[in-house]
Amino acid sequence: MKPLSRAEIVELFTRLRELNPHPTTELAYHSPYQLLVAVVLSAQSTDVGVNKATRKLFEVAPTPQAMLELGEEGLKRYISSIGFYNTKAKNIIALSRILVERYGGQVPHDREALEALPGVGRKSANVILNTVFGEPVIAVDTHVFRVSNRTGLAPGKDVREVERKLERRVPDEFKRDAHHWLILHGRYVCKARKPDCPHCVIRDLCRYPHKTPAGA
């Protein structure tokens, strides 16, 4: 597969920006801490399912200290509908304790510190650095990975390779919002099983050889 040219990449993101000038996460939150919790819960789960659980959870435990007071067993009652909730509850209580004891209850603006938190990997840290602190980093989830490979934007065998290529290939003017555009495009248009190619705004740029025809 021939990767997209720089001019094609500029055109791709220009079109996505025209459709959605101010993209953001679909996770519901009211503070950096709440986004962090939501991101941990979202691993291998849908944003819709996470939002349903956190809507009630954040009413009783909106801060790290309140989460510690709720406790692991109390937390499980709110997130039991989410996959791997036992492990996630353990991680959320542990990271809440670290935030209270080391960071005054605040989410640190530091990649190393974020990745050291239980349940927080590179992708999750990138989400926080981008969405909370405005850094032009790109979080590569399954949607970003799929779109990057299908289109020829940044083909790679694993998420780190795709991330490195995106960092090099995405023009600076688009980096701040790039992963939001790619996530949303993958979630609603370039879907895993049946991409909606006939309604894709970047269809003519895309290198995917198995485009779905109109009416399919």
Side-chain angles (χ1 to χ4, degrees), residues 66-172:
M67 191 69 74
L68 291 177
E69 292 169 4
L70 179 62
E72 188 173 329
E73 293 305 315
L75 172 56
K76 287 179 184 180
R77 290 197 293 271
Y78 288 92
I79 65 172
S80 59
S81 60
I82 297 174
F84 307 101
Y85 73 93
N86 285 312
T87 298
K88 291 176 180 179
K90 182 178 180 180
N91 286 336
I92 288 169
I93 293 300
L95 72 82
S96 298
R97 182 170 291 109
I98 291 171
L99 294 182
V100 169
E101 293 178 353
R102 300 183 190 176
Y103 301 105
Q106 301 301 308
V107 174
H109 183 181
D110 178 84
R111 174 183 296 283
E112 185 176 353
L114 286 169
E115 291 188 24
L117 295 173
V120 180
R122 184 177 181 85
K123 182 196 75 175
S124 298
N126 279 354
V127 171
I128 299 300
L129 291 171
N130 178 280
T131 306
V132 173
F133 299 111
E135 291 194 15
V137 295
I138 301 174
V140 180
D141 70 350
T142 56
H143 299 302
V144 175
F145 183 80
R146 181 172 64 254
V147 172
S148 296
N149 274 284
R150 278 183 178 173
T151 60
L153 170 62
K157 295 179 181 179
D158 55 53
V159 294
R160 282 296 285 123
E161 183 180 1
V162 169
E163 183 183 336
R164 285 193 295 269
K165 287 186 176 180
L166 288 171
E167 288 173 351
R168 293 198 309 268
R169 294 172 62 77
V170 176
D172 289 344

Side-chain angles (χ1 to χ4, degrees), residues 12 15 24-25 31 36 56 75 92 127 151 162 185 194 212:
L12 180 151
R15 294 182 192 180
T24 189
T25 179
S31 70
L36 178 62
K56 294 182 178 179
L75 172 56
I92 288 169
V127 171
T151 60
V162 169
H185 190 69
K194 189 178 180 181
T212 54

Side-chain angles (χ1 to χ4, degrees), residues 15-16 38-39 42 45 51 64 68 81 94 109 118 130 141-142 154 168 175 177 190 196-197 215:
R15 294 182 192 180
L16 294 179
V39 168
S42 71
S45 302
N51 289 341
L68 291 177
S81 60
H109 183 181
N130 178 280
D141 70 350
T142 56
R168 293 198 309 268
K175 276 186 179 176
D177 295 316
C190 193
D196 190 9
C197 300

